[in-house]
């Protein structure tokens, strides 16, 4: 078993609260162990690299150094796509460029921070669950089923692109695909969901400009919502707090500003898996989602 | 010749004649549209180097003009004027005047990374878009784009505390961009959000706006990073 440091990141402490809570209770219910990453810093999201790319590389390297140097962990796990993407990028850049590694270590010494040496790997929550349990492990631990609820699995941009920074993807059986990711499909399918054929799995929700270019974001989110409905989905499963908030926000905005109503519900994949484990909806924070899926879940007999 | 793709040519260069005789041959009707020739003299030989000095623009010189970036672009699907391939072409030729014509849309890149993912030459077009937007702001060609204000707001908070806090970022962002904080759809969204959130979480969010979360061991890190970025920028832009 890997020694895992859990890196929730800023979003899961704020608007992504339900994702954080459902992750914690799910991990516990599955019998996995993780420790909170001590006193972490923000990863820089999508914004900071535009000020200077090294800034972003350093922020992630610092988090990895805390995990390995101060906590003796070998893995940093992030459920947030933004954090995961930045960790991966920092890992890739320091592994492929001595210059980047030197700069990172130099900045760490100047700041009296722990020094990153590249001896820690980074995983997304999805990858960790697949590694430790996989679909079979989920089946064994299930106490309930998702009862054939129709799900569109939405992965967003940062989990798969650019593929160069994810050397472990696209490696045949057992690895995820950067073009047609399927880890979430595999896990939820094992828990009794029906995965619909959703063509926009890795399309963009406009999360980077959710507020600065609302009209574009609303259009992109509508594409996703309508495409999911056309595919026959009742629920869009998310694995990123920014995508999740973006979908919820612009679903409301499309309805209020443009009168375009969509019925598909937005639910974190951890909440769905948690329900299959028989965890209480309240513990999983299902009531806290803006997109109100309670009625649908009751109708399906999942709650 | 007949010109069918008029959308590809600027209006001011299209010349149409009701009746036209060329070398004694009447070409009125279908053949009466000409494109005014032009000679480009206002290109800037150093422009590519300039863009390379901005964050994200380092690899712009590698572009082979294959068009994969525009072909895969999320924004191009929304608006065909959004054309990364063309902007990279103009950057390499140093045709700043042409670029500036699109100043109001370049900042809209959503960083979905489809271009960087597909680019056969590792140009990182997404980075080039950010570099172009920042160059325009620095030159005073555009106001600071909302997304740049966001970038800076983020960086500032991280320099200070090592952390960000979403509601504070949002408040400052609305303040700096002059958008009303309370928009109709926001009200409805926030109302729906409050309806079910546990009181404990709402209190925590409220407390967070007063006492921003901090990385306790942040110490000197913020200042070191700030100095580093300043030195790098001075070295790049002279």
């Amino acid at each position: 078993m890997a020694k895992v440091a859990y890196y929730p990141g800023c979003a899961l402490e704020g608007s992504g609260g339900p994702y954080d809570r459902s992750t914690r209770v799910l991990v516990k219910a599955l019998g996995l162990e993780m420790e909170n990453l001590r006193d972490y810093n923000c990863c820089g999201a999508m914004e900071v690299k535009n000020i200077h790319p090294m800034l972003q590389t350093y922020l992630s390297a610092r988090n990895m150094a805390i995990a390995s140097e101060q906590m003796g962990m070998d893995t940093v796990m992030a459920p947030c796509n933004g954090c995961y993407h930045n960790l991966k990028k920092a890992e890739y850049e320091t592994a492929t460029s001595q210059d980047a590694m030197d700069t990172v270590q130099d900045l760490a010494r100047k700041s009296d921070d722990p020094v990153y040496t590249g001896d820690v790997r980074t995983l997304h929550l999805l990858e960790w669950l697949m590694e430790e349990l996989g679909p079979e492990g989920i089946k064994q631990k299930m106490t309930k089923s998702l009862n054939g609820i129709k799900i569109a699995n939405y992965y967003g941009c940062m989990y798969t692109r650019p593929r160069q920074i994810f050397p472990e993807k696209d490696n045949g059986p057992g690895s995820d695909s950067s073009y047609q990711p399927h880890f979430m499909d595999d896990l939820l399918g094992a828990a009794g969901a029906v995965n619909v054929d959703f063509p926009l799995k890795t399309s963009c929700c406009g999360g980077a400009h959710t507020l600065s270019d609302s009209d574009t974001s609303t259009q992109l989110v509508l594409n996703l919502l309508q495409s999911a409905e056309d595919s026959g989905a009742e629920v869009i499963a998310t694995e990123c707090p920014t995508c999740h908030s973006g979908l919820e926000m612009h679903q409301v905005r499309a309805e209020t500003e443009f009168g375009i109503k969509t019925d598909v519900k937005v639910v974190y994949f951890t909440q769905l898996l948690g329900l299959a484990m028989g965890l209480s909806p309240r513990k999983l924070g299902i009531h806290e989602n803006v997109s109100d899926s309670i009625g649908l879940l009751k109708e399906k007999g999942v709650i | 010749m007949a010109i069918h793709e008029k959308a590809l040519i600027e209006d001011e260069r299209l010349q149409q004649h009701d009746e036209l005789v060329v070398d004694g041959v009447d070409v009125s009707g279908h053949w009466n549209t000409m494109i005014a020739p032009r000679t480009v003299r206002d290109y800037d030989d150093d422009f590519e180097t300039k863009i390379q000095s901005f964050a994200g623009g380092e690899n712009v010189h590698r572009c082979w003009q294959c068009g994969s970036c525009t072909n895969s672009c999320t924004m191009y699907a929304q608006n065909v004027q959004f054309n990364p391939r063309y902007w990279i072409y103009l950057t390499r030729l140093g045709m700043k005047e042409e670029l500036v014509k699109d100043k109001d849309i370049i900042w809209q890149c959503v960083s979905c990374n489809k271009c960087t993912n597909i680019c056969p030459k590792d140009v990182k077009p997404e980075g080039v878009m950010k570099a172009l937007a920042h160059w325009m702001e620095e030159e005073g060609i555009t106001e600071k784009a909302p997304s740049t204000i966001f970038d800076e707001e983020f960086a500032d908070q991280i320099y200070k505390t090592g952390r960000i806090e979403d509601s504070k970022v949002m408040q400052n962002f609305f303040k700096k961009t002059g958008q009303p904080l309370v928009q109709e759809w926001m009200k409805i969204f926030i109302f729906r959000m409050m309806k079910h959130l546990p009181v404990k979480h709402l209190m925590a969010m409220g407390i967070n706006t007063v006492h921003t979360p901090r990385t306790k061991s942040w110490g000197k890190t913020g200042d070191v990073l700030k100095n580093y970025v300043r030195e790098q920028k001075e070295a790049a832009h002279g």
Side-chain angles (χ1 to χ4, degrees), chain A residues 247-267:
Chain A
L247 288 170
E248 286 186 329
M249 250 192 218
H250 290 283
Q251 187 171 35
V252 172
R253 189 169 184 264
E255 199 181 319
T256 9
E257 304 262 306
F258 306 106
I260 304 170
K261 198 169 171 351
T262 43
D263 281 328
V264 66
K265 309 297 178 204
V266 187
V267 187

Side-chain angles (χ1 to χ4, degrees), chain A residues 39 42 49 51 163 256 287, chain B residues 117 126 162 196 216-217 233:
Chain A
D39 197 33
C42 170
K49 75 166 176 27
I51 304 290
R163 68 191 184 291
T256 9
H287 301 74
Chain B
N117 184 56
E126 180 262 349
H196 296 300
K216 291 179 198 62
S217 58
K233 286 209 189 281

Side-chain angles (χ1 to χ4, degrees), chain A residues 13 28 61 76 79 97 99 117 124 126 128 164 186 189 194-195 203 218 242-243 267 293 297 301:
Chain A
E13 293 210 331
K28 205 168 164 181
V76 179
S97 152
D99 196 29
T117 54
H124 190 277
L126 279 173
W128 187 43
Q164 293 85 343
D186 298 348
V194 172
N195 297 310
S203 290
T218 301
T242 310
C243 299
V267 187
S293 54
L297 294 167

